Amino acid sequence: MRDQEPAGSTHEGREGHGGHGGHEGRRLSTRETAELLGVKPETVYAYVSRGQLTSRRDPGGRGSTFDAKEVEALARRNKRDSGGSSSTGGELSVRTRITLIDKDRYYYRGVDATELAARHSYEEIAEWLWTGELRPGVTFTAPEASVTAARRAVDALPEHSGPTDRLRVAAIAASAADPLRFDLSESAVLGTARTLIPTLVAALPPLRHDHRDAGPLAHRLWGRLTGRTPDEASLRVLDTALGLLVDHDLAASTLAVRVAASARAHPYAAVSAGLGVLEGPLHGAASGLAHRLLLDVLDQGTAAPVVADELRAGRRVPGLGHRLY
């Protein structure tokens, strides 16, 4: 296990806590803050949402300002955490209260993610992220009304619709079937999470006649991903993959969800916002390119010519070269 620093637990350089005397009371604009940290302006607000920066409205009402000492302290921490690199390491190597990415490992609430995924189901890991408690054997159940609404909406889509299209429509339909969706108390939001996830799985069209609608989520998802007959090893691999992907810090879609939630959008709307961003070829759609590459390798029986074609065309090899992984 590895302990991590909760976001907002320490803030070097806040007013009254050191810093450079020449910057006493000086405020920076969002653009100046982004330049000093070496990140995009939207990432500045991600730091605010994580409690790593505090903002204050400009008296002129045209934007937020940030304490120069606090920004410089965060820049020093980011530089230290990224091994002194002058690149945008601070934007990539960030801590949240949930996940810490450290070199080639990452941790959920201080526990190695690979260890959790090897020993626990997707649902158990999700509960650990949400509550800090492990609930052995927990499963998520979708309300019949939500599933019916989601399936009816998904079935109305054109046949060529992709999985993300179906998930977005299912989330919207499920929200319409939930009269309590505007309850944003913690218990209600967690309850929605436990029902929305299996609803999204149930809304995907099955590829097997003997697909499952009960049991662990990975078992229910299998028959909607492939027509192959599952064995226990295959189901375990899928469950492990879901556990490893359950959270990986502030990806673009995660940030979109947080922005929607910060506007007090209900959980269905927040998830829908994230699914919209997931469509981008530099984010979720990148996995489809990697899948296509693997199919080409299987067709040719060797990877060398497939990789050579990618390099000849001046493209990066899909699935390789991610700045974090």
Side-chain angles (χ1 to χ4, degrees), residues 32-180:
E32 292 170 328
T33 300
E35 290 177 353
L36 184 58
L37 293 174
V39 300
K40 299 175 182 177
E42 52 264 34
T43 305
V44 172
Y45 292 103
Y47 283 127
V48 173
S49 71
R50 295 199 301 271
Q52 292 180 286
L53 277 180
T54 53
S55 63
R56 191 167 69 200
R57 293 294 297 178
D58 186 337
R62 292 188 293 179
S64 299
T65 63
F66 303 84
D67 180 78
K69 292 185 296 181
E70 187 179 38
V71 173
E72 290 176 350
L74 178 59
R76 289 195 300 271
R77 287 203 305 276
N78 284 346
K79 186 175 182 180
R80 182 175 66 245
D81 292 343
S82 63
S85 171
S86 60
S87 68
T88 57
E91 185 177 4
L92 297 174
S93 301
V94 294
R95 292 182 175 92
T96 69
R97 288 184 175 88
I98 299 297
T99 301
L100 166 65
I101 299 177
D102 183 23
K103 298 180 181 177
D104 61 347
R105 310 290 286 186
Y106 60 117
Y107 306 84
Y108 297 151
R109 292 189 180 274
V111 181
D112 190 306
T114 56
E115 294 181 8
L116 277 172
R119 300 176 184 176
H120 297 280
S121 70
Y122 166 80
E123 293 97 317
E124 291 169 351
I125 296 172
E127 286 289 341
W128 171 249
L129 287 175
W130 294 334
T131 68
E133 298 179 6
L134 281 173
R135 298 174 56 197
V138 63
T139 57
F140 297 156
T141 304
E144 185 175 345
S146 295
V147 172
T148 300
R151 283 178 173 168
R152 184 179 297 122
V154 168
D155 289 345
L157 290 173
E159 187 176 345
H160 65 268
S161 300
T164 309
D165 296 321
R166 295 185 171 106
L167 292 174
R168 291 171 64 190
V169 167
I172 294 170
S175 73
D178 183 0
L180 301 180

